[in-house]
């Protein structure tokens, strides 16, 4: 009986740690703006891309929560008539969602869409190591988010 009690306490501590390590930031914004994709998947991309740091800029120049390249934002603005600023967190999320949904429609496969999000749509077929590592990170994070927020509850 003591071992079972100890095991339950340890499990609860682990779950509590996971809720803190994988917060549900920007969920309302993502849910409102996403039409085709699971909001938890988009949250997972955001987690992997920026760790929810709004002002982060990658060494290659990708900006914000969803790590949008300025050229990609310009293309999305023109193609989808988006009037936004990629430095604004909500607009950055909008750009990221629209881009990921575009890639999903283009490739018809979520794995290819996620790889394209990371390495670019012209490098997907090569299935470079970077793309595979990125896909693995996003899928692991997505599994954890689904486990915590869909199957265990809201935390």
């Amino acid at each position: 009986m003591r071992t079972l009690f100890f095991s339950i306490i340890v499990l609860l501590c682990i779950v509590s740690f996971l809720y803190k390590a994988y917060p549900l930031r920007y969920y309302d914004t993502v849910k409102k703006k996403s039409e085709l994709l699971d909001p938890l998947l988009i949250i997972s991309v955001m987690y992997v891309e920026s760790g929810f740091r709004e002002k982060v800029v990658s060494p290659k120049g990708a900006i914000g929560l969803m790590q949008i390249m300025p050229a990609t934002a310009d293309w999305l603005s023109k193609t989808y008539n988006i009037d936004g600023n990629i430095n604004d967190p909500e607009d950055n999320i909008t750009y990221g969602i629209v881009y990921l949904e575009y890639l999903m429609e283009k490739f018809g496969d979520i794995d290819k869409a996620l790889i394209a999000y990371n390495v670019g749509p012209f490098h997907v077929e090569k299935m470079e190591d970077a793309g595979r590592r990125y896909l693995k990170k996003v899928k692991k994070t997505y599994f954890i988010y689904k486990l915590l927020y869909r199957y265990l509850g809201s935390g």
Side-chain angles (χ1 to χ4, degrees):
M1 187 64 142
R2 185 181 267 176
T3 305
L4 177 62
F5 179 74
F6 181 72
S7 297
I8 291 170
I9 296 299
V10 169
L11 181 61
L12 290 174
C13 288
I14 291 169
V15 170
S16 177
F17 168 78
L18 286 173
Y19 276 118
K20 288 177 183 154
Y22 292 87
L24 202 55
R25 294 193 183 138
Y26 306 100
Y27 183 78
D28 291 338
T29 300
V30 169
K31 188 173 180 185
K32 180 174 57 177
K33 296 176 183 259
S34 178
E35 295 178 18
L36 302 176
L37 300 171
D38 182 355
L40 292 176
L41 176 63
I42 295 165
I43 295 287
S44 300
V45 169
M46 196 182 316
Y47 180 95
V48 170
E49 287 288 342
S50 68
F52 301 115
R53 294 171 297 163
E54 295 176 357
K55 303 205 183 297
V56 69
V57 177
S58 78
K60 292 187 177 184
I63 295 172
L65 293 165
M66 298 291 288
Q67 289 292 278
I68 302 297
M69 294 296 286
T72 302
D74 289 343
W75 178 80
L76 289 167
S77 291
K78 292 173 188 162
T79 305
Y80 293 95
N81 199 27
I82 300 171
D83 183 26
N85 176 353
I86 60 173
N87 293 298
D88 175 77
E90 285 207 19
D91 291 346
N92 190 279
I93 291 168
T94 299
Y95 279 108
I97 290 171
V98 170
Y99 187 49
L100 191 54
E101 288 179 349
Y102 158 77
L103 293 170
M104 180 60 194
E105 288 178 6
K106 176 180 174 73
F107 291 103
D109 177 270
I110 193 61
D111 289 358
K112 286 183 180 178
L114 288 166
I115 291 168
Y117 191 91
N118 181 254
V119 300
F122 305 111
H123 302 284
V124 172
E125 296 308 321
K126 294 178 188 176
M127 192 62 165
E128 300 166 351
D129 286 342
R132 278 195 290 270
R133 283 191 307 273
Y134 177 79
L135 179 61
K136 189 175 180 178
K137 282 183 196 175
V138 171
K139 287 182 124 183
K140 178 194 81 153
T141 303
Y142 184 41
F143 172 81
I144 293 168
Y145 269 102
K146 285 191 302 183
L147 175 69
L148 291 174
Y149 295 101
R150 187 162 295 141
Y151 303 120
L152 294 180
S154 63

